[in-house]
Every structure is written in C-alpha cells, then in structure tokens.
Amino acid sequence: MKVVYCDALVVGGGLAGLRASIACRQVGLDVIVLSLVPVRRSHSAAAQGGMQASLGNAKMSEGDNEDLHFLDTVKGSDWGCDQQVARMFVTTAPKAIRELANWGVPWTRIKKGDRPAVINGEHVTITEREDRHGYILSRDFGGTKKWRTCFTADATGHTMLYAVANEALHHKVKIEDRKEMIALIHHGGKCYGAVVRDLITGEIVGYVSKGTLLATGGYGRVYKHTTNAVICDGVGIATALETGVAKLGNMEAVQFHPTALVPSGILMTEGCRGDGGILRDKFGRRFMPAYEPEKKELASRDVVSRRILEHIKRGYGANSPYGDHVWLDIAILGRAHVEKNLRDVHEIAETFAGVDAADDSLETEENLKGMPTDEPDFGPGAPKQKGWVPIKPMQHYSMGGLRTDYKGHSHLKGLFCAGEAACWDLHGFNRLGGNSVSEAVVAGMIIGDYFAAYCKSAELDISTHIVEQFIQKSHEHIQELLHNDGKENVYEIRERMREIMDEKVGVFREGHTLEAAVNELEELYKRSKHIHVKNKKTHNNPELEDAYRTQKMLKIALCIAKGALDRTESRGAHTRLDHPKRDDANWLNRTLASWPDPNQTLPTLEYEPLDIMKMELSPDFRGYGAKGNFIPHPLKEQRDAEIKEITERIQAQGGDRYDLQEALMPFDLQPKYKARNVRLDDQRQGE
Amino acid sequence: MGRQITIRALKFDPQSAVSKPHFKDYQLEEIPSMTLFIALGMIREQLDPDLSFDFVCRAGICGSCAMMINGRPRLACKTLTSSFSENVITLMPMPSFPLIKDLSVNTGEWFAGMNARVESWAHHKKEVDITKPEERVDPDEAQSVFELDRCIECGCCIAACGTKLMRENFIGAAGMNRAMRFLIDSHDERSDDDFYELVGDDDGVFGCMSLIGCHDTCPKQIPLQGTLAQLRNKMVKVGKAR
Ligand SMILES: Cc1cc2nc3c(=O)[nH]c(=O)nc-3n(C[C@H](O)[C@H](O)[C@H](O)COP(=O)(O)OP(=O)(O)OC[C@H]3O[C@@H](n4cnc5c(N)ncnc54)[C@H](O)[C@@H]3O)c2cc1C
Ligand code: SF4
Ligand code: SF4
Ligand code: FES
C-alpha cells in the first residue's frame, strides 16, 4: 500500500486552496495541493464580475470603508452570517486585493478625466480626479452602498486564479492534479489526511498529513439547472460528512442567480443589469418596476429570482422547448456599448443561444397576442426583438458548506475548510455578488495562516495500521461498486436527483413538496447502493467515478432538502411560501447536518444559535417587500439599547469608528491583517 | 425532428495492453443549440459510458475541452454541432500532448512545465506593505497585460504548431505569450536580458517559424501574431548585443 507523507494537505486548487497553500509555504511547511483538474481550470476561473474590496479609490467609491462593506454584507446575509467573520473579512479584503496587484493581476485602473457610464438606464458622465489616475477602479454591483467591485474587464476570476497559481509556483507548492480525495483518514476525533484516487491510473494512495484543509468549492451540480462547472458536485464536503464527526452548516442556503442563459445555464453576469439592461416578459413588458419600484432590476439576487418566477407563474413567461423563461434585453444599451463593455456576454449569447444580443430589430409581433389590457403596472408591451436573450433563475452559489469556527477549523480536529466549500459563515442566507472570490482569497490568507500554525504544532500520532485500514476500505468500496449484482443505472438516479432538487427544493419552497423531495431522495439514496457499473476497468473509468460521486451527492442533496423542510421561516435565499416571515424568535440560528452512522439514510440535524447579544448590527428590516416582514428576536430591544448606549458613550469620549467598532464587537484576527487599511483620502489628509 | 448526426470519436486506452486506436461512431438526433458538450454527455450517458473526454466550465472559459474537431483544434464546449453542414463530425485528441485516453490529453502536465520554464510569476524584490495604497499602474498598460493574460492554457495553439511537432521541447505560442505578458508588466522587474536566458533559444523564440497557425486557432483571440513578433524583436536585439 502506498502512503505519501506531508506536513499540510490541501484538497482543492481554486483560489482558496492555492492561497492557503502559499500561507503554508511561507512558514516552511511541506504542502501538497490535490485537484480533480489542472488547478487553473478550477471553477474560480469562471468568475466574471469581480471582487469586492473597499478601496474607495474611484469617484463612485469615494468614502467607502470596512464599515460600509460590513453593513452591506450583514444585511445581504439577512442577518444569518457570523458578524465576527464578516468583520475579519472586510478588514482583510483591501489587503488581499493589493497583494494580488503585486502578484500581477492586471486590475482595470482608473483613467483621469471623463468616462461615460449608464446609471439607472440613463447615460451619464463620471469625472475622475487626476490624483486617482492609475489606481484600481471598481464597478457597481447589486446590494452595495458604493461601487466596490474591482475587476479585470470580464475575466476577473481567471486573472486572479492565474496570479495565485503563479505565486504558488514561485513558492514551490507541490501540486498534483487529476487526483481525487475519496475518503478522509481520521481516528479518535482527529484528521490525518486523505485517501486519494489517481484519476488516470486508478491507483489508491494514502496521503498522511498533520493537518488537512478542504477547499473543494460548491455543490451546484446536485441541481439540474446550474451555472456551476461540472466538477462542482459537493463530493469534497460529502467526504467530510462521511467521517461522522464533521458537520455541514446551513446547507439549505442555496443561491439562485436570476439571469442564467436558457437552456445551457451559462451565466449572464450581473453586469448586464448593472449597466442598465432590463427584464421583459413574453409580451415585452418591463415587469420589475411593478414588483420592486425602488431597486427594479438591481434588487438583490434572491429577490429578482423570486420576482421572475412569480411572474412566470402568472403565465407571463415566454414558452420554449426548455420551459418558460423571461427575456434579458441589453440591446437597449446600444450595439456599441454591448460589443465593447459586454463582450463576453455578447459572445456567449451568440454561441450558446444563437442570439445577437445587440440586435434591436423586430422579430415578430405575434408575442403581443392575448396581452391583458387591464394591467398598466407592468408597463407597455413591445414586439419581440431579435436580440432578447432567454434567461431564468438557476442554482448559482452554495452559502452552506463544511461548518468551521472563525479559524476555519471544523468539528473534526485537524480538518480545516475555506472558500465556497466552507460555512465559515460569511454569507449567511444570501451572498452578495463579488463577495465570493473575495472570500476565497481572504479565507486563503486568514484560515491559511491558522491552518499552517496548526500543522506546525500538530503531531503525526497515528499508526500505519489505521492508515492502511482506510486505504483498504476505499479499495473494497470501489471493488464492490464494480462487481455488485445491482440493477440501477447511475445516470438515471443522478438525473432524477437533479430534477427533484430543481422542482421541489428551488427558489420557492413549501412543506409538502419538500417532504416529498426528502422521501424521494432517500429512496434514491437507497437505490444508489445498487448501482451497476457496466465498465469494469479500475483505471480511467468515468462511469465508475460517476457512480461513487452520485452516492455522495445524494447525501448533499438530502442535507439541503431536509434542512429546508425543517427551517419553517423565510430568510435570504431560503423562501418558504408557507412561512413567509423571517422568524428571528425561533430561527436566528445555523442548521448543522451530520451523518454519525454510515447506515443512516437521512442526515441528523441540530441547531447552533447566533448570539444576538454579540452582534454589532442587530437584526433588522432588509429593505425588500413589505416592511416589518420579520418576527423580532426577544432580545432585540435589549441589544439595540446596548448598542445605542455604547455608541453614545464612545462618541462622547471622542472615539473614532475603530473605537466604536471595537467596543461593539471585538474580534480576533492576525495583527498583520487587522492593521488599518490606508486609503487615498487618508493619505491626502495626512499630507 | 432534428437531423441525425454521427459523432465519430477516436478511442484508445494507452494503459490497456489490448486497446488499439480506432474510430467509433455514435448516432444522435440533433437538438437546437446542441454543443459538443451536450452531444458527448448524451453519448456517455446513453451509448458508451467508457468514452473519455474533459469538460469543466462548459462555457469556453477554463480551457479543458480542446480537441481536434474535423481536423482543427477547438474548444468542444463552444462548438455547435449545427456549425457543420456535413452529418459526420470527427473528433480526435490533440497531438503534441501525452494521451490519457480517447479524447483526453494531459495538457496540465505540459503547461506546468511551460510555467516553470518561463518562471511565470511577477519577479520583484521590493517589500510591499499591503495596508498602503497599491502602486499606480497606467490604465493602458494594465489593459495590454490583461489582453495577454487571457490565455486559458487550452493548448490549441500548441496543437496547431508545426514546430512543436518537430521540436519536443518547443515552448510554443502559449509560452512566448506568457513571457511577453510579464515582460510588459511593471510589477515584474526582469529585464529583456533575463528573458533572453529563458526563451532566447531554438526551443523558444528562435525556433518559431512565424507561420502563425497559432494565431488563427486561439479561441480567446489573443493577438499572438503581434506578440510573438514583438518578443522576437526584443530577443534579437539582446542576442545581437551579446
Ligand atoms: C459562472 C459563475 C460566475 C461567478 N462570478 C463571480 C463573481 O463575479 N464574483 C464573485 O465573487 N464570485 C463569483 N462566483 C463564485 C466564485 O467563483 C466561487 O465561489 C469561488 O471561485 C470558489 O472558489 P474556491 O477556491 O472555493 O473553489 P473552486 O475554485 O471551485 O475550486 C475547487 C477545487 O477543488 C478541487 N476539488 C473538488 N473536489 C475535489 C476532490 N474530491 N478531490 C480533489 N480535489 C477536489 C477542484 O479540482 C478545484 O481545484 C461565480 C460563480 C459562477 C458559477
Ligand atoms: S508562429 Fe508557427 S511556429 Fe511559431 S508558435 Fe505559432 S504556430 Fe508555432
Ligand atoms: S494562447 Fe490561445 S490557443 Fe494558446 S493556450 Fe492560450 S488561449 Fe489557448
Ligand atoms: S469546458 Fe471549459 S473551455 Fe470547454
């Protein structure tokens, strides 16, 4: 049996894993990064829009700082996030972006003078001060008070990932790709590495390490319609769940993006609406202003997704062989704008839907037939133009994941987690656009350091006998899959799972359908034990891989569905039609899912309270729908009074925003990351 | 009903003692907006679970899925079956990379070597304080670095390169592009001389025959022609001065 030893094992080579591996090298650890694919192909490469960091450089970002970023993030999370983690994050994000700049990310920079922009559908001119020339520029994104999203044209994730991968090469990180973690090695509540399968040769090897960090990304592929890459199947965190010790947090918190291309699910970036693009129904009516008069198309992602589906439910979606959808109209911005500023979007619509998104010429007036005349709220109808792009909400992001403390440490000692795979818990029940690649890098820095410190001090007190047992067990599992006499087809099971998730655990949820989903998924999970693999080879066998992955994916699907069934409130992206209010009195907590007994067919759920008395911002109205649509926590008034008292005291003492923050909610962070961020305006004042 | 198409794929498992390279035909009914990602997925699920190929993003972003499609290196996920009028589409793995199986080749290994060879990271000796505002960069410089940084390491330019077929260690357009990317980036303090050490030989710029097969195949439309010429000029200057 082959066993490889190292100080630190990092599973996953996206932004989070690679950045954490650099942190390990910085203190001289022997680190190995494993990845299903060459690391530069990780899903992080797909992020287009950008990375949030409160630099406050540009005209439209003036006055931005950590406090505003914090406020947006907590509100966005619908008060479901860990506020101390949010503080750690917003404090480190500006440093992360500056580090990336030094590593060569070609961030789009500010040009002095006038620049055209579209705000609220209006063409305006923004003038940049001369002394800002050459600093990092940022753009507008949903749910943020300032223009805070830094970017490299429309390929932000790609340039970030390449920079971090380059730096990992510089630091001599050992990277092994086409290697899949299939089990974790653990004993006495402590993790000692992983059992790993070589995806080319099929060889199964034990990787023994002092500490293990998972950065395996999201789990969107348990849904049929998703913007996620095909490798985002959640198998990484499912493997952690299988230890029986580690727990998954808030798995029911799944983000749906309003504008995914039909049918492929490829993302049409939020930038389309940020730049002034609008949504239309089958009659060509702009319907968002009727539902969200204030923010219209630029309401938060969960809100826009719900509105689109509500509208389709009323019968106003356009029909297609792939189901009903609405239209995204960016032709309204003019061809010049589309071809220059939305180049990738234009190309994607062309390739994957055969639509020239800049074409505003008439296609047909047929679509106006049967339009109700008594609904002036939805605006005037319009004949169908050629450039309208078919879109509908699809799964996009996983707020839930492997539950960790603020240091990134899971319930299983020695097992850490960072990035989208983790429920650290920065995003609560809804993540803001641009906060995710930012989290991946920032978590790679902060958690990477805590993880490295752990690995430095930990000992490899495990016997080879136990390691061999784990390797042997994985061997047997593969052999069992290849040679059992089952009759089930893996692709049928996987497809049905994905349909159930779409149909019953989607944007809108309801008790009885969720219950049906849980029952059906449980049934599928039992059937998955009898998958028959036709291809008997042990190496390079995609069917075999799909078989063991599907078994794990079903566990993830069950955690999501069961979590959603039991959470009888609506918070962020989790919308229960039968429980429309956010219920802080009963649900200001985090769902934890575990699988203590391998023979269980359903996860065990428990709840971890969020301590309102430690919050810097007490739970409040988020700004969408009917005001006061939440049931307050019994301690809210008490905390509000405390916050008021502390604020007045600090102000009377002449304290600044840092003093106030520290008094309201002290938080732990490595001093180098907690150091104050200097901004251009601070420097000007200093001069 | 859509038209009937045939996907003709090369099958070969180099790890098997009995496997021999051969073509296998798969019949499918074409559906609207069908890409090769969709077609190959259907083949694996319905016709042949043993067929190997690589997709990750399925959106033309990650560079995983390059293969020879009717003789030309292209990204399979971005290729519509309807873009071919003939009913048979022939798929082969890209040459110049180690074959893993069927349509899957090991581009990762090759690119890792290329990255090591051009020392693909920003070289500088400054101690940078990340709590302070970043260094200024001219917006136009950032834009030109970005243009070259867009390479997704798909390998199409390598597969299309005659020189690479003859010279095992030729660094290819992707390698030269990467060197140029750092050469024009002010965060990298390396001089033309330093780059000459890395790419100033027959396995680098002086092996390139400038026939520009690479430029025409790059799915990201990276301006390889100009980039290669510029790099070559710089290297020639250094060479002459030596
Ligand atoms: C289309 C799209 C656009 C997006 N745009 C934005 C944006 O503009 N801004 C933003 O902030 N966020 C965006 N996001 C979200 C963001 O891209 C991701 O959340 C983030 O990149 C995740 O990074 P990561 O490092 O956690 O994981 P990933 O980049 O997903 O990396 C996961 C890694 O784990 C490896 N892995 C997985 N399982 C195993 C296993 N079992 N064994 C070994 N290795 C394994 C994979 O090979 C991979 O290397 C977008 C997401 C999508 C889908
Ligand atoms: S110009 Fe020709 S020889 Fe040079 S890299 Fe391109 S394809 Fe190869
Ligand atoms: S230069 Fe173009 S063709 Fe070559 S690897 Fe990069 S993206 Fe692919
Ligand atoms: S699968 Fe990513 S480019 Fe084709």
Side-chain angles (χ1 to χ4, degrees):
Chain A
M1 256 174 235
K2 202 167 144 191
V3 179
V4 175
Y5 291 88
C6 61
D7 297 327
L9 181 66
V10 175
V11 186
L15 281 169
L18 287 175
R19 182 58 188 80
S21 74
I22 294 171
C24 293
R25 289 297 302 145
Q26 284 168 338
V27 294
L29 293 173
D30 173 26
V31 56
I32 297 180
V33 174
L34 304 173
S35 170
L36 300 171
V37 295
V39 291
R40 290 166 202 250
R41 313 236 190 275
S42 299
H43 189 53
S44 290
Q48 300 178 342
M51 156 168 180
Q52 282 206 44
S54 59
L55 294 181
N57 285 342
K59 168 87 176 139
M60 300 302 289
S61 349
E62 239 169 86
D64 201 7
N65 61 29
E66 298 82 9
D67 294 352
L68 295 178
H69 193 181
F70 175 77
L71 180 79
D72 288 340
T73 303
V74 174
K75 255 187 153 182
S77 80
D78 218 351
W79 277 272
C81 75
D82 179 332
Q83 296 195 6
Q84 301 197 20
V85 166
R87 267 292 168 193
M88 296 165 75
F89 165 74
V90 297
T91 310
T92 312
K95 300 177 183 81
I97 207 155
R98 287 165 173 171
E99 179 177 86
L100 289 168
N102 280 313
W103 290 352
V105 173
W107 296 111
T108 300
R109 301 280 172 150
I110 299 168
K111 233 185 188 143
K112 64 184 173 205
D114 291 350
R115 131 176 89 88
V118 185
I119 301 176
N120 272 337
E122 311 250 325
H123 291 267
V124 296
T125 302
I126 297 173
T127 311
E128 292 292 356
R129 242 166 43 202
E130 179 153 2
D131 62 333
R132 298 180 180 281
H133 185 79
Y135 289 104
I136 297 173
L137 179 66
S138 43
R139 60 162 55 137
D140 198 9
F141 248 52
T144 66
K145 291 224 155 24
K146 299 279 174 187
W147 291 23
R148 186 184 300 129
T149 304
C150 308
F151 61 101
T152 52
D154 46 12
T156 314
H158 168 88
T159 56
M160 290 172 70
L161 182 63
Y162 271 54
V164 176
N166 285 338
E167 209 51 31
L169 174 69
H170 180 194
H171 282 89
K172 302 198 168 61
V173 171
K174 274 185 228 147
I175 294 177
E176 300 185 21
D177 59 43
R178 294 190 188 255
K179 298 267 172 85
E180 179 173 18
M181 165 188 68
I182 54 174
L184 282 164
I185 300 169
H186 61 104
H187 182 66
K190 224 164 130 183
C191 181
Y192 294 95
V195 180
V196 176
R197 185 169 173 273
D198 186 312
L199 293 173
I200 298 178
T201 63
E203 189 184 19
I204 294 175
V205 174
Y207 281 66
V208 176
S209 63
K210 294 180 182 168
T212 306
L213 181 137
L214 302 191
T216 50
Y219 44 82
R221 283 279 156 179
V222 300
Y223 284 83
K224 184 173 164 86
H225 291 106
T226 170
T227 62
N228 283 196
V230 299
I231 57 170
C232 300
D233 52 18
V235 163
I237 57 168
T239 304
L241 185 70
E242 285 172 346
T243 61
V245 186
K247 297 176 182 180
L248 307 186
N250 284 347
M251 292 297 285
E252 66 271 34
V254 176
Q255 180 167 80
F256 298 83
H257 198 293
T259 61
L261 188 64
V262 175
S264 67
I266 294 168
L267 190 74
M268 299 278 104
T269 170
E270 197 162 311
C272 294
R273 284 168 293 135
D275 284 6
I278 59 173
L279 299 175
R280 295 181 184 276
D281 66 10
K282 79 168 173 187
F283 303 119
R285 299 179 299 185
R286 183 180 178 196
F287 56 91
M288 276 309 292
Y291 294 104
E292 297 293 331
E294 224 170 286
K295 315 221 165 150
K296 308 181 180 78
E297 276 85 354
L298 276 174
S300 177
R301 287 179 179 176
D302 55 335
V303 177
V304 181
S305 294
R306 285 196 285 270
R307 296 313 194 183
I308 291 175
L309 292 179
E310 262 175 58
H311 201 62
I312 289 178
K313 224 178 194 158
R314 294 170 90 144
Y316 299 152
N319 310 119
S320 86
Y322 310 102
D324 293 352
H325 60 77
V326 296
W327 305 107
L328 172 66
D329 177 5
I330 53 171
I332 194 171
L333 304 172
R335 182 169 290 278
H337 182 96
V338 173
E339 287 182 350
K340 180 161 164 274
N341 299 331
L342 296 167
R343 183 164 111 182
D344 256 26
V345 170
H346 189 234
E347 196 188 304
I348 288 171
E350 185 93 60
T351 310
F352 295 98
V355 174
D356 168 7
D359 189 347
D360 61 0
S361 63
L362 177 79
E363 184 177 302
T364 176
E365 294 194 8
E366 288 289 296
N367 70 308
L368 286 169
K369 276 195 190 145
M371 186 175 92
T373 49
D374 55 346
E375 295 177 332
D377 283 358
F378 291 135
K384 163 95 177 61
Q385 294 173 3
K386 288 193 179 137
W388 293 356
V389 183
I391 55 102
K392 77 175 171 203
M394 296 187 196
Q395 193 286 340
H396 179 62
Y397 184 80
S398 316
M399 270 84 69
L402 181 56
R403 176 71 187 131
T404 73
D405 62 13
Y406 74 93
K407 293 185 171 176
H409 212 158
S410 77
H411 289 85
L412 178 60
K413 203 164 176 224
L415 180 67
F416 288 68
C417 189
E420 190 171 344
C423 177
W424 185 25
D425 172 13
L426 171 63
H427 309 298
F429 276 74
N430 177 60
R431 157 181 84 89
L432 296 182
N435 253 358
S436 171
V437 284
S438 196
E439 177 195 13
V441 178
V442 167
M445 296 162 81
I446 299 174
I447 295 174
D449 270 6
Y450 286 130
F451 171 62
Y454 175 88
C455 293
K456 276 225 119 161
S457 64
E459 270 177 69
L460 266 185
D461 48 351
I462 186 167
S463 80
T464 31
H465 175 67
I466 294 170
V467 173
E468 283 176 359
Q469 274 180 345
F470 274 92
I471 303 176
Q472 188 56 34
K473 229 169 98 187
S474 290
H475 254 298
E476 282 161 15
H477 181 54
I478 300 279
Q479 288 305 321
E480 229 174 77
L481 263 174
L482 284 173
H483 302 294
N484 72 24
D485 49 10
K487 299 251 167 342
E488 301 290 349
N489 177 318
V490 54
Y491 297 110
E492 268 169 38
I493 291 184
R494 197 177 67 178
E495 185 64 10
R496 187 58 205 141
M497 167 188 74
R498 290 177 169 166
E499 283 167 5
I500 295 169
M501 294 304 285
D502 267 21
E503 290 161 13
K504 303 190 167 115
V505 202
V507 174
F508 290 111
R509 301 164 174 188
E510 219 167 345
H512 64 278
T513 36
L514 285 169
E515 199 166 336
V518 170
N519 291 338
E520 226 187 309
L521 288 168
E522 187 181 9
E523 195 51 39
L524 283 179
Y525 176 68
K526 290 178 187 158
R527 279 170 59 191
S528 76
K529 304 210 162 173
H530 308 285
I531 290 173
H532 175 76
V533 178
K534 293 186 219 73
N535 183 354
K536 303 296 179 201
K537 277 190 271 191
T538 51
H539 71 271
N540 213 311
N541 181 345
E543 188 191 8
L544 170 67
E545 283 145 27
D546 286 330
Y548 62 70
R549 288 174 191 162
T550 299
Q551 291 178 330
K552 292 182 191 246
M553 288 168 84
L554 276 158
K555 290 190 176 139
I556 296 296
L558 276 164
C559 290
I560 301 172
K562 186 77 169 71
L565 171 63
D566 290 8
R567 181 173 285 273
T568 49
E569 65 152 357
S570 292
R571 186 182 296 272
H574 171 67
T575 312
R576 285 286 299 260
L577 292 172
D578 45 353
H579 298 276
K581 287 195 174 175
R582 191 182 86 205
D583 182 355
D584 292 344
N586 295 296
W587 290 102
L588 197 62
N589 60 21
R590 202 171 280 126
T591 310
L592 294 182
S594 58
W595 211 286
D597 176 354
N599 295 317
Q600 281 181 222
T601 54
L602 281 179
T604 303
L605 298 189
E606 63 194 298
Y607 296 90
E608 182 191 6
L610 300 185
D611 187 353
I612 189 170
M613 298 310 287
K614 288 205 174 122
M615 289 183 182
E616 186 177 332
L617 277 178
S618 90
D620 215 331
F621 174 58
R622 201 172 139 225
Y624 298 105
K627 239 195 171 104
N629 195 28
F630 71 97
I631 303 166
H633 192 277
L635 293 176
K636 177 172 163 57
E637 278 181 29
Q638 193 183 331
R639 181 58 182 162
D640 281 342
E642 259 183 28
I643 292 175
K644 188 159 171 265
E645 184 268 315
I646 295 171
T647 310
E648 283 167 3
R649 177 160 50 83
I650 298 292
Q651 277 167 353
Q653 290 165 358
D656 62 8
R657 65 185 181 91
Y658 296 98
D659 300 324
L660 178 61
Q661 195 286 313
E662 195 61 31
L664 286 171
M665 189 187 70
F667 67 100
D668 221 10
L669 181 63
Q670 292 96 343
K672 62 177 173 179
Y673 295 139
K674 201 163 183 180
R676 292 185 184 186
N677 295 301
V678 180
R679 296 188 173 77
L680 292 183
D681 284 337
D682 305 328
Q683 273 191 337
R684 274 160 60 95
Q685 278 156 15
E687 271 161 18
Chain B
M1 241 191 53
R3 76 175 164 155
Q4 291 294 310
I5 55 168
T6 301
I7 304 286
R8 175 168 296 165
L10 188 90
K11 290 202 72 175
F12 177 46
D13 179 0
Q15 288 181 75
S16 150
V18 292
S19 174
K20 291 204 173 57
H22 65 284
F23 281 105
K24 194 164 168 186
D25 286 358
Y26 305 97
Q27 257 83 31
L28 292 175
E29 187 190 325
E30 193 174 41
I31 52 173
S33 322
M34 186 184 225
T35 58
L36 283 174
F37 165 71
I38 298 173
L40 287 168
M42 285 167 67
I43 292 172
R44 180 177 291 165
E45 292 190 10
Q46 294 160 20
L47 302 170
D48 182 1
D50 177 52
L51 183 65
S52 292
F53 45 77
D54 295 313
F55 289 100
V56 177
C57 71
R58 58 84 178 88
I61 290 165
C62 74
S64 301
C65 63
M67 56 181 75
M68 303 302 277
I69 303 172
N70 283 352
R72 253 194 82 192
R74 297 171 64 141
L75 298 178
C77 69
K78 262 180 84 173
T79 303
L80 294 166
T81 54
S82 61
S83 61
F84 302 102
S85 53
E86 55 271 51
N87 294 333
V88 180
I89 301 172
T90 307
L91 305 180
M92 293 207 279
M94 286 194 296
S96 289
F97 295 99
L99 179 70
I100 293 175
K101 180 168 160 274
D102 307 337
L103 304 172
S104 168
V105 295
N106 202 334
T107 45
E109 191 181 33
W110 189 86
F111 277 99
M114 179 280 275
N115 282 315
R117 161 116 185 251
V118 303
E119 300 185 1
S120 173
W121 64 86
H123 291 51
H124 61 77
K125 297 200 180 68
K126 295 174 290 238
E127 270 295 322
V128 176
D129 181 352
I130 54 175
T131 64
K132 301 261 165 64
E134 63 280 5
E135 248 175 78
R136 285 179 190 235
V137 174
D138 185 77
D140 295 333
E141 177 198 305
Q143 183 62 33
S144 1
V145 173
F146 172 70
E147 275 298 313
L148 308 191
D149 202 42
R150 284 168 44 249
C151 167
I152 55 173
E153 301 196 343
C154 64
C156 287
C157 60
I158 307 298
C161 175
T163 305
K164 175 69 181 75
L165 283 177
M166 293 181 303
R167 268 183 195 282
E168 172 74 5
N169 294 322
F170 183 54
I171 194 175
M176 291 184 271
N177 176 70
R178 184 61 54 81
M180 193 62 187
R181 178 236 173 280
F182 282 107
L183 218 161
I184 60 175
D185 186 344
S186 52
H187 294 103
D188 193 319
E189 292 168 350
R190 279 179 288 181
S191 64
D192 290 2
D193 246 66
D194 295 331
F195 280 100
Y196 189 86
E197 297 300 326
L198 300 174
V199 298
D201 62 10
D202 283 354
D203 285 336
V205 281
F206 301 124
C208 170
M209 297 184 297
S210 308
L211 296 176
I212 307 302
C214 50
H215 185 98
D216 297 333
T217 47
C218 176
K220 298 307 278 185
Q221 283 112 35
I222 292 176
L224 293 174
Q225 183 170 11
T227 305
L228 265 46
Q230 241 180 317
L231 183 67
R232 194 187 168 92
N233 286 343
K234 280 185 190 280
M235 295 300 103
V236 167
K237 268 191 207 137
V238 177
K240 279 193 180 144
R242 286 196 169 194

